[in-house]
Amino acid sequence: RKEVEQDPGPFNVPEGATVAFNCTYSNSASQSFFWYRQDCRKEPKLLMSVYSSGNEDGRFTAQLNRASQYISLLIRDSKLSDSATYLCVVNPPGAGSYQLTFGKGTKLSVIP
Amino acid sequence: DAGVTQSPTHLIKTRGQQVTLRCSPKSGHDTVSWYQQALGQGPQFIFQYYEEEERQRGNFPDRFSGHQFPNYSSELNVNALWLGDSALYLCASSHKTAHYGYTFGSGTRLTVV
């Protein structure tokens, strides 16, 4: 099983739609979780951290279910500018573990 | 305030050659990590440098080596290039006390022919 697995995508949605991305991780002792956004041929940029209590930033909501080892990202009222690849990211456990483990990414295209 | 800068932006090398990629971290950051992103894949951790030493390493062969300088800038060296080394190489910097606050550079796109 891969360390971080995401919906394969791509997702093609109309403007204004709500879209949800799902992600699972294999190591139950993982401590930190993030969603990054990557535009075509650009670097990844942190979209939001994910907390057990769930967190919201404007149109974006992230949820973490530790029991199911599952992370989600919900985008409401999609904009054309939301078109990008969304990367699920986990910081694996272990003393001195400074690396980020990325999923393969799910591509979102928001259509006019 | 400059973010993370990487050079060169693009590079074409022949199999068997060696390559050096460079990274200058964001102002105030003292830790540099390197990632490899193949087409259609997520970035994969190569290694991280702090205080001029390799602090952690991912699952990459010894052909991949690095260095960090006193000014916190870093180099990634790859020897004996394979076709499979063709990828986007990303540098990410952070501060030792906030190592989850990574800032990525725009990367070096390496093509091995």
Side-chain angles (χ1 to χ4, degrees):
Chain A
R1 182 181 174 186
K2 290 185 179 178
E3 290 184 77
V4 179
E5 290 199 76
Q6 296 185 238
D7 287 337
F11 284 30
N12 299 310
V13 302
E15 270 186 293
T18 295
V19 60
F21 300 129
N22 302 314
C23 170
T24 57
Y25 59 96
S26 61
N27 194 321
S28 60
S30 296
Q31 294 297 313
S32 303
F33 310 90
F34 312 90
W35 283 101
Y36 274 70
R37 170 196 169 125
Q38 186 171 26
D39 293 295
C40 188
R41 304 184 76 82
K42 300 279 190 177
E43 72 274 22
K45 291 185 179 178
L46 178 64
L47 180 64
M48 57 199 304
S49 301
V50 187
Y51 305 113
S52 297
S53 54
N55 48 301
E56 188 173 309
D57 182 4
R59 299 181 292 109
F60 299 82
T61 301
Q63 296 277 353
L64 168 64
N65 184 321
R66 286 187 180 272
S68 303
Q69 295 173 217
Y70 170 90
I71 307 162
S72 66
L73 176 69
L74 185 76
I75 305 176
R76 291 181 298 278
D77 188 23
S78 299
K79 312 290 185 191
L80 295 177
S81 57
D82 294 333
S83 297
T85 295
Y86 290 83
L87 297 158
C88 178
V89 185
V90 172
N91 176 245
S97 180
Y98 303 102
Q99 69 183 78
L100 299 178
T101 300
F102 286 78
K104 198 173 176 180
T106 303
K107 185 174 180 180
L108 171 66
S109 294
V110 181
I111 306 162
Chain B
D1 180 25
V4 179
T5 58
Q6 292 187 243
S7 63
T9 54
H10 295 83
L11 202 53
I12 299 175
K13 288 287 191 178
T14 304
R15 273 181 300 175
Q17 284 189 313
Q18 178 265 344
V19 68
T20 298
L21 310 181
R22 295 176 176 82
C23 172
S24 292
K26 183 178 178 179
S27 178
H29 286 182
D30 54 11
T31 301
V32 173
S33 304
W34 287 92
Y35 287 80
Q36 180 197 66
Q37 186 174 24
L39 198 61
Q41 304 294 318
Q44 281 197 294
F45 177 74
I46 302 174
F47 42 52
Q48 185 180 86
Y49 276 83
Y50 172 66
E51 291 188 337
E52 302 180 48
E53 290 195 358
E54 183 183 288
R55 179 155 70 170
Q56 189 169 17
R57 187 180 185 91
N59 189 25
F60 277 80
D62 292 345
R63 298 187 298 111
F64 289 77
S65 64
H67 190 77
Q68 186 179 33
F69 299 94
N71 67 352
Y72 308 121
S73 67
S74 177
E75 288 182 350
L76 164 65
N77 301 293
V78 187
N79 293 322
L81 285 165
W82 297 0
L83 295 179
D85 294 331
S86 295
L88 178 67
Y89 288 84
L90 294 160
C91 171
S93 73
S94 60
H95 188 270
K96 64 178 180 179
T97 62
H99 51 256
Y100 299 141
Y102 290 111
T103 301
F104 281 85
S106 54
T108 294
R109 191 163 297 279
L110 173 65
T111 302
V112 183
V113 298

